[in-house]
Amino acid sequence: MKYNIAVVPGDGIGPEVVGEAIKVLNAIGQKYNHQFNYTTVLAGGAAIDEYGECLPEATVEACKNSDAVLLGAVGGPKWDHVPGPQRPERALLGLRKALGLYANLRPAMIFQELADASPLKPSILDGGLDILIVRELTGGIYFGEHVTESGEDGSVTAYDVEKYSDYEIQRIARTAFEMASKRNGRVTSVDKANVLDSSRLWRKIVGEMSSDYGNVELDNMYVDNAAMQLIRDPKHFDVIVTGNMFGDILSDEASQITGSIGMLPSASLGTGNPGLFEPIHGSAPDIAGKDIVNPTACILSAAMMLRYSFGMAEEADAIENAVNKVLDKGLRTADNMSEGCTCLGCTAMGDAILAEI
Ligand code: NAD
């Protein structure tokens, strides 16, 4: 079977990590007899340089016409002078909107061999961590009304509206329950229902949805408590489902617990549209072009693409197992280096993962 993948390498280390992910995808294609076709398009700073805009229509069209999108990272100091609406990072918002990607999936997992990189005590982590954060991506306060107004007395007032409709909550809750039913069967819904009406609706709808998933246990948690529990008892969590702003904050907190920004993938999914898969890190201009970056997050993003967009669980497992074996052998990139391990460059790390597939 043929799969068309739109590839958006982006800026900084984007092209380097995407190159390694494509090498790995090609190996999977060969091993399992799939044909992956790639269409490379520009977004972010690279598109500003070439076309004068961060998200050209041709890029949006190519992404819409694909089966999935693989993205590196966008942005960098070269485009710091560009005005707000045209900044490279705006390409991400534009793509999410154009593709209707309302569910952002961010796994926060600790690879056993990298447990030392976590800032938390080994006694709290007990050797591992595997949380999936499901963040609503196209609603809530980031997309509500934003107003700054001046009063007659010279005072200035600003407000932003947090707004959720039942159907928006239903579809993200469904994503979370489906994911949990394939994992450890637990969903924690995070809100601020003691204060916010939007959260009270959130809690009500998620509760109603849970009756369709008898095999999944649901608990509700206020966001302030969730922020504490992620540090105090992260093993409490399996799947966390939450709104856009709470998810933004909690997913960054959870990724820091793993201590390895170069290892974490993400997926953004909609309904009936291609999903977007990208590492959680940025374009790391400080280390771009030196062949020292860690390509694993992008390679694991490709694994998420196989699992969630193409239904290839075995192939995704093959990539994730290969990453584990490489770590087991003591192979590392500079960001994860520890005593007694061997330090590889970006290309060599891609090759090492490839060799295990
Ligand atoms: P960053 O994630 O690019 O880098 C943070 C730190 O982590 C840096 O020290 C970097 O060297 C290191 N790092 C990141 N990825 C790594 C990897 N794969 N291997 C080894 N080390 C890695 O975040 P930043 O420095 O805040 O942002 C740099 C640029 O990226 C900015 O222009 C920002 O707007 C953009 N950005 C883009 C995205 C995206 O495209 N999704 C996300 C975040 C930031």
Side-chain angles (χ1 to χ4, degrees), residues 13 17 71-77 80 89 92 261-262 278-287 292-295 297 335:
I13 62 170
V17 296
L71 187 140
V74 294
D80 274 352
E89 294 82 358
L92 297 175
I261 194 170
E278 57 178 326
I280 70 152
H281 59 70
S283 60
D286 51 332
I287 52 171
I292 56 172
V293 63
N294 187 349
D335 52 313

Side-chain angles (χ1 to χ4, degrees), residues 43-80:
I48 294 174
D49 288 351
E50 184 74 20
Y51 302 111
E53 52 180 331
C54 65
L55 186 61
E57 192 50 39
T59 296
V60 174
E61 278 310 302
C63 292
K64 278 186 175 168
N65 292 329
S66 68
D67 297 312
V69 181
L70 181 67
L71 187 140
V74 294
K78 183 178 174 192
W79 303 280
D80 274 352

